[in-house]
Amino acid sequence: MTLADLPVPVLPSRTTAALTAPVRRHTRQIHVGAVPVGGGAPIPVQTMTTTLTADIDATLQQIAEVTAAGCDIIRVAVPSRDDADALPALVAKSRIPVIADIHFQPRYVFQAIDAGCAAVRVNPGNIRKFDDKVKEIAAAASAARIPIRIGVNAGSLDPRLLAKYGRATPEALAESALWECSLFEEHGFTDLKIAVKHHDPLTMIAACRLLADACHYPLHLGVTEAGPMLQGSIKSAVAFGVLLADGIGDTIRVSLSAPPVEQVKAGCHILSSLGLRPRKLEIVSCPGCGRLQVDIHKLAAQVEAAFNGFPHPLRVAVMGCVVNGPGEAREADLGVSCGNGKGQIFVKGEVVRTVPESRIVETLLDEAVRLVDNERAGD
């Protein structure tokens, strides 16, 4: 029997479906400033400033940095009166919507609303007698036409639920969020977004699935205290990937022990990997093996640095040998396949020239600019 004699397998339909973006869960839609959340809207990337909120100049500088990296919504901590007093200036000068993050002091919720914040995040487990303030908060938020984010964290779960479940289980997290939502619902307020966070991805996934089955509010995804860059990015990508592939999740934040701009970059990459956000620069590069004739790790880093901030979406392949190199380079917008101290430069699948290894990076940049110019001329 030859290969030609073998029957052609019929692939399951899910193979084709896997090539498309996930079907999103249907939710209510709210608006955080000009940014729609839920209801099929594109998934915004959020982060939180690490500056002292009262330091207006430093906070605005950080907001500008994350905005340039692709952040859609920014959250600022408001633990003190000085921080609350800074909110009007931040709201007025930020190019993206500002959410005030309130713990412990309900009075700052009202100050944040008066300051024009696009939303307010409250953590019921950290606000004493919060239940008694819901009516006032709902009335103020309704009058200002801004949403409230119910943020439930494993580390600050309502003591009543800790007593009931013994620890921060998925059921405890979900019940806390739904209970607080019901208090707002009693007063006719439903412009709500829910976030339930845990450092363990599996617990966070389970809690979000419970909420997805129990309500139609938009969900903010986050693995809280995810850890340093590598560990936190992996934990977040795993949790988000599972949920987003099931259509669950309406905003995200990658909570890394790293600068906010790195959190934003990670979030954008996660969404673009799932086809949920237009990609910008994508570097396709090989991990390395004994066939390499070039320092591929160094070369890939140089290419990534050279293309940092390139304003047009491109897939750039940086390959180190002749096994997979030519094929991957042909699949990219442009790429290089290295060997014997030289690099074959590919543009849209065609070899356009061969250059010394020392000129690979500058040549790729030149070809990228030429490619974009040609595409513009054809429009």
Side-chain angles (χ1 to χ4, degrees), residues 14-201:
R14 64 180 298 179
T15 302
T16 302
L19 299 177
T20 63
V23 177
R24 302 277 300 282
R25 160 181 167 261
H26 177 71
T27 72
R28 298 175 59 89
Q29 186 173 92
I30 62 172
H31 283 80
V32 179
V35 178
V37 176
I43 298 174
V45 173
Q46 301 187 27
T47 189
M48 192 170 182
T49 55
T50 57
T51 55
L52 185 67
T53 303
D55 187 339
I56 294 173
D57 289 341
T59 302
L60 285 172
Q61 175 62 35
Q62 196 168 79
I63 292 175
E65 291 172 357
V66 300
T67 301
C71 187
D72 302 296
I73 298 170
I74 189 69
R75 186 156 46 103
V76 299
V78 188
S80 74
R81 177 64 181 269
D82 289 342
D83 298 316
D85 289 342
L87 290 175
L90 297 177
V91 169
K93 295 182 179 180
S94 173
R95 289 172 49 204
I96 57 177
V98 176
I99 296 178
D101 191 81
I102 310 296
H103 294 262
F104 304 114
Q105 296 293 344
R107 67 177 182 272
Y108 297 148
V109 173
F110 304 105
Q111 196 166 347
I113 292 173
D114 291 339
C117 288
V120 176
R121 181 273 178 109
V122 295
N123 185 341
N126 270 348
I127 298 182
R128 293 181 179 179
K129 297 184 178 180
F130 175 82
D131 297 355
D132 298 333
K133 294 290 184 180
V134 170
K135 182 178 181 179
E136 295 176 56
I137 292 174
S142 180
R145 303 182 70 177
I146 68 169
I148 297 290
R149 168 177 157 181
I150 301 295
V152 178
N153 277 12
S156 53
L157 191 63
D158 190 308
R160 294 167 293 186
L161 290 166
L162 278 177
K164 177 179 178 179
Y165 289 96
R167 58 188 178 85
T169 64
E171 293 78 10
L173 295 170
E175 183 174 328
S176 176
L178 292 172
W179 167 251
E180 300 303 339
C181 286
S182 73
L183 296 180
F184 279 95
E185 291 166 352
E186 288 177 3
H187 303 289
F189 188 86
T190 56
D191 282 342
L192 300 169
K193 176 176 63 174
I194 300 176
V196 290
K197 294 189 174 184
H198 197 286
H199 67 270
D200 174 47

Side-chain angles (χ1 to χ4, degrees), residues 177-239:
L178 292 172
W179 167 251
E180 300 303 339
C181 286
S182 73
L183 296 180
F184 279 95
E185 291 166 352
E186 288 177 3
H187 303 289
F189 188 86
T190 56
D191 282 342
L192 300 169
K193 176 176 63 174
I194 300 176
V196 290
K197 294 189 174 184
H198 197 286
H199 67 270
D200 174 47
L202 295 178
T203 301
M204 174 266 194
I205 290 170
C208 287
R209 282 175 167 166
L210 288 173
L211 286 170
D213 289 339
C215 72
H216 293 288
Y217 291 119
L219 300 182
H220 171 76
L221 304 185
V223 178
T224 192
E225 292 97 31
M229 179 73 76
L230 178 62
Q231 174 181 293
S233 296
I234 292 173
K235 288 170 69 174
S236 297
V238 168

